[in-house]
Amino acid sequence: MAGLMAGFGHYTHAVVRGIPASLAKEALRSNPVEVDLAAAHREHESYVEVLKTKLGLEVVELPADESLPDCVFVEDAAVVCGDTALITRPGAESRRREAEVMKGALKDLNLNIVEMTDENATLDGGDVLFTGREFFVGLSKRTNQRGAEILADAFKDYAVSTVPVLEGLHLKSFCSMGGPGLIVIGSSEPAQKALKIMQQMSDHRYDKLTVPDDLAANCIYMNLPNKGHVLLHCTVEEYPESAKVFEKLKDHMLIPVSNMEKVKVDGALTCCSVLINKKANI
Amino acid sequence: MTTEVGSETEVKEKAEESAAQPDQSEKAAEENAEVANAEGEEKDKEKEKDGKEGKGIARYLPTWLKKQKSQSQTSPTKEVPPTEEAVNKVTQEEEGPAPEVNGHAEEVDEKEAVKSEQVKEKEAESHSNASADTEPAKEEKVEESAEKSTEEAKVTTEGEGEEEQKEQRGKEEEEEGVGGGGEGQTSIFQSPLRLVRKTKMKLVVCHVNLLDGTDFTCEVEKRAKGQYLFFKVCEHLNLLEKDYFGLTYTDTHEQKCWLDPTKEIKRQIRSNNWQFAFNVKFYPPDPSLLTEDITRYLLCLQLREDVASGRLPCSFVTHALLGSYTLQAEFGDYEPDQPRPLDYISQRTFAPNQNKEMEEKILELHKSHRGMTPAQADAQFLENAKKLSMYGVDLHHAKDSEGVDIMLGVCANGLLVYKDRLRINRFAWPKILKISYKRNNFYIKIRPGETEQFESTVGFKLQNHRSAKRLWKVCVENHSFFRLNAPEPPTKARFLTLGSKFRYSGRTQAQTRVASSLIDRPAPNFERTSSKRISRSLDGAPVISITEAGTAENGREFHSDSKKVKEVDLSPGDAEATPTQSLGASEPAPAQDHDKTQEEVLKHQASISQLKRSFMEAPPPSPPQPNQWEKRLTSSPATTIRVQQHQVSLEEEIASVLFSRHSGTGFSLAAASACSIPKPTLDDVITTCSSTSTAVCGPATLSAEVSEPQTEAAADDNTISDTKEPTKPPVVKTEMVTISDTFAAQKTEIATKEVPIVHTETKTITYEAAQLDGNGDGEPGVLMTAQTITSESLCTTTTTHITKTLKGGLSETRIEKRIVITGDCDIDHDEALAQAIKEAKEQHPDMSVTRVVVHKETELEEED
């Protein structure tokens, strides 16, 4: 039954984008680290493979654009909820054009497109945490108040609360949803502080799953037919302690996905896809 | 009025309250006037109550007083509002079989009106010598009523004037024997004149805009209270689960206000425009828990309008979905044969920005609802609507401390802060220790977090005082309704307390759910008549203002958990998660309440519990800046929990202690002993009095107070009233309780609950030694000296009048001390008064206390 806020985690489609060679040298990063491009390609391929084969999603693969070194991180270019897609205005100037291709792809999926035309607004999808009942928007280096307002206007059904992001790139650099009403959160002080704020701002109660590593807190939750709760999370190789925590989730189908290379350019698991539920459309 | 910080000077406070009262003397004058009013009211009440008994206070009053009463033809009609039982009780004790009192009109609704009349009389009575006294009071009234229609004008004028008006109206309007559910009004008049007048009760035609767009018209007595009309409407709608609803009117500032059920309608609307709207007041968080479909239907109607007007924002898809359920509920299954189906869709408004695309979507979705009954469609509608983030959120414009425009949203869970469309903060009810307002500021005191040591106060600026008060009231009501088990009862009687009496007066959600579960009737048939819906004005955000909610239905005191706090605790339970109010009150009282409410529901009684409020209200909220009072209070554990639901815009407490020394007689008044009780609760005082009365030789020995001091005050009042009037709100209510030693035995029976509480801004409690008629006789003494000493400390001002009178061969020295305590801080009024009395006694050991008048003034109206 179609309905407001029904089926959190239900997805049918995913939009991904290839890795340009320029990523190795030109992609934005907070720490100057060398990226193994080939490894990154392999990593991304397996990521897409999980979505496509293992989980059975319709994956729309957009071609990489060499002039957009960060274009693989499609999450920042669009926020999709229900049948509405907000095409963002990324905070980094060099990434603004990433939205163009994304817009076309989402349009092709018959989503209602809302564009962020206000030149004072910036918003990265990585700063948007949708819990199923409401949005939290991190106010970070990449996302500002105006961007959050436009998001709130695009998704009128939901409360949109702002959360200051004092450290880290994005809000979702240290948190994400691990299930309905379950927030996975890093254990750093800024992460815990942000969680407190989110809990205070919300009319709903959230359980939390604290993982030792902030970056490991970024995982992908889905609720898929015949599979139930699915969680894509970090591997033991990357974050052994955090991986153990995820293993406590007995009800989830746990799928460790390696992200060792992309993380070097501040890419997390959620960054590499835009998930869409076409059936949710009423 | 805004409440002021206790530290502020009196003058400031007064200025706020009344337009501008420069001098203390003026204040004193005000006090006097108020006192007089209060006395009058009390007397009236007493009369009302005692009317049956046939005894009135008048009995005990000096003859001169009686004379005045008779002179003042405005005899107080004795109307006993059924709802105000407490008042009745009080009156019983004090009742003197005053001839005037003979006829009792039992008019629940009209009490206040009566009061005004009575007040005049009382003034006359209390200040027998000064006719001037009555004038000031009148003036005030006039001011109040000035805004009001001519109807109210009568109030300002003396009772006679009122009668005339009533007669006129009576001619205009048919007389009705109004018998509302428990609110029937019958008036009995003692004097033939009165009988004539009162029998011709003026009826007014009320127009109520219902949720389906139709108008409901009914006649109510002019003095009817809000709940009378509300019950009429509910009766018309066949609605039992009515606690979620309310009536609104548009005030003179074009603001939508909630009609206070416990107050007279005409005193609220302030105009001749008897236009109301029936609306949802508390949006149930889970409509599926409602018992009856008709209730859900009405909620749907409200939400349809909310959605269509944009008050409840939602997405395109949600608009379409809600619209499709509406179609299903109103028209049933989609008819493929229907020619041009879009036509009837486009005639209705589903969304503020409705377009063809949306209508097509609505139609498409409508098709998918095939087979759904109207009730099911409504339920689905609500299931979706309730998830909307702005569902049940009442928005108020405000500015934060930095002057940034924000919106404050009051809802079932607490207070939300929005900047533009973004939620930037949220204060759940359990996090809020206290809410208060002062001038145009609104404050919430926040419970310290786990890691924090101190509670913090957050302030917001509202557009004006009225807005701040309205917001505060909405908060009080929402908190009470959604979070408490039972409406918070008045705090136990304390001798002196300041604070707004405003409380949520209806049933809480917990209570109404219990009541609903007992509804035992076949589901009523009702017509879904969206077709008859008239396009209603879709104006912007709903502004809910509550004028005054006066009485807590249930007189129980709400204790937060184990802590003995008399103040209202906003956070009864610590667990935010637990929505149920059971957390808060562990007292047995709630259970009783439920029982009561159940019975009532079963009986379909209109009125729930009666007003059992002690006039001792919870203390006023403390201002953000701690003053000395607050500091002291905060040191006690109790204060941390204290929440102030009651905010008094202007709180002023006046205690006047009257000492008299009769050179001729050696009698000392026993009353003094009573006064010296450190922390007199009302009960204590009463009991003490009784004991003393027995000890004292007899009432005769007690000397009546000399009226002169009062006279002076009255004179002052005139001047004061002028200044006051411009700013003073039209509605000033005075409540007075007079307890005389003579009848202490009777008094002891008075339970705190029974103390009459009227929704008044001004309360006066007078404790006085018994007076004999002979004592007070019309020979006013000669004023030998008048001395005024004013000392100001903190928020306390003391004014002393010394009057020497020669009565017959006796010289009497009377000292009247006025102690004015002003401020909105947490004042331990009991202690303050006790201290004042003690000091006074120490200063004048050779004198006895003949009278203690406690006068509490709160200003209802906001400056504007």
Side-chain angles (χ1 to χ4, degrees), chain A residues 166-264:
Chain A
L166 305 174
E167 287 186 37
L169 180 61
H170 287 140
L171 175 65
K172 281 196 283 191
S173 295
F174 51 77
C175 69
S176 64
M177 294 307 291
L182 175 65
I183 294 177
V184 183
I185 186 80
S187 53
S188 74
E189 193 178 317
Q192 293 293 323
K193 214 169 180 175
L195 176 68
K196 276 235 161 57
I197 290 172
M198 289 191 282
Q199 285 173 331
Q200 183 196 325
M201 300 275 258
S202 176
D203 294 324
H204 311 289
R205 267 180 80 78
Y206 295 104
D207 296 324
K208 64 169 178 176
L209 180 70
T210 306
V211 295
D213 309 285
D214 276 6
L215 285 173
N218 183 290
C219 55
I220 300 174
Y221 168 79
M222 295 186 214
N223 186 350
L224 300 179
N226 302 324
K227 296 186 179 61
H229 302 294
V230 177
L231 198 66
L232 279 61
H233 62 86
C234 63
T235 61
V236 179
E237 291 73 30
E238 296 165 273
Y239 306 104
E241 295 302 315
S242 297
K244 277 185 204 162
V245 175
F246 283 113
E247 283 163 12
K248 291 180 189 166
L249 297 172
K250 298 300 181 192
D251 295 337
H252 288 55
M253 174 181 180
L254 299 172
I255 306 175
V257 177
S258 175
N259 194 44
M260 295 185 92
E261 293 304 318
K262 284 182 283 189
V263 79
K264 293 176 181 170

Side-chain angles (χ1 to χ4, degrees), chain A residues 109-127:
Chain A
L109 289 169
N110 284 319
L111 295 177
N112 299 320
I113 305 295
V114 179
E115 290 187 81
M116 195 174 280
T117 52
D118 190 329
E119 295 195 348
N120 295 318
T122 62
L123 181 105
D124 275 14
D127 277 317

Side-chain angles (χ1 to χ4, degrees), chain B residues 321-333:
Chain B
L321 184 64
L322 296 178
S324 68
Y325 287 125
T326 297
L327 284 188
Q328 182 70 22
E330 300 280 343
F331 297 98
D333 291 347

Side-chain angles (χ1 to χ4, degrees), chain A residues 1-6 83-84 112 133-134 137 139 144-163 196-197 199-205 280-282, chain B residues 313-319 321 325 353 357 361 364-365 368-369 372 380 383-390 411 413-414 416 418-428 431 450 576-577:
Chain A
M1 180 75 213
L4 185 54
M5 302 177 196
D83 66 348
T84 299
N112 299 320
R133 292 302 305 267
E134 64 192 312
V137 177
L139 298 181
N144 63 19
Q145 181 96 9
R146 185 73 192 115
E149 286 169 18
I150 292 172
L151 181 132
D153 215 41
F155 304 103
K156 288 196 178 72
D157 292 348
Y158 301 96
V160 179
S161 305
T162 54
V163 183
K196 276 235 161 57
I197 290 172
Q199 285 173 331
Q200 183 196 325
M201 300 275 258
S202 176
D203 294 324
H204 311 289
R205 267 180 80 78
N281 298 350
I282 303 170
Chain B
C314 50
S315 65
F316 174 89
V317 174
T318 303
H319 273 304
L321 184 64
Y325 287 125
N353 49 356
E357 185 188 5
K361 187 78 178 173
E364 177 190 331
L365 291 168
S368 70
H369 301 326
M372 203 177 274
Q380 284 299 319
E383 280 307 296
N384 284 279
K386 78 175 186 188
K387 294 176 185 167
L388 295 168
S389 76
M390 299 305 287
C411 67
N413 295 323
L416 304 167
Y418 295 93
K419 182 172 185 308
D420 296 310
R421 288 192 37 87
L422 298 174
R423 185 184 292 183
I424 57 173
N425 214 338
R426 171 179 176 272
F427 303 98
K431 283 283 286 181
E450 301 167 2
E576 289 192 20

Side-chain angles (χ1 to χ4, degrees), chain A residues 85-121:
Chain A
L86 172 66
I87 309 301
T88 68
R89 189 166 180 277
E93 185 115 29
S94 65
R95 302 190 59 188
R96 298 269 159 81
R97 286 199 302 116
E98 290 178 24
E100 293 173 8
V101 179
M102 178 58 70
K103 176 181 162 189
L106 297 177
K107 219 170 198 168
D108 291 343
L109 289 169
N110 284 319
L111 295 177
N112 299 320
I113 305 295
V114 179
E115 290 187 81
M116 195 174 280
T117 52
D118 190 329
E119 295 195 348
N120 295 318

Side-chain angles (χ1 to χ4, degrees), chain B residues 121-165:
Chain B
E121 293 181 359
K122 291 177 180 178
E123 290 177 354
E125 293 177 359
S126 62
H127 314 286
S128 60
N129 37 1
S131 61
D133 294 347
T134 56
E135 294 178 1
K138 292 177 182 179
E139 291 178 357
E140 291 180 359
K141 294 177 181 178
V142 173
E143 293 177 355
E144 297 175 355
S145 60
E147 295 179 0
K148 301 175 183 177
S149 63
T150 55
E151 295 178 357
E152 296 179 357
K154 61 182 178 182
V155 174
T156 58
T157 60
E158 292 178 356
E160 296 178 359
E162 291 183 7
E163 293 175 355
E164 293 177 359
Q165 292 180 351

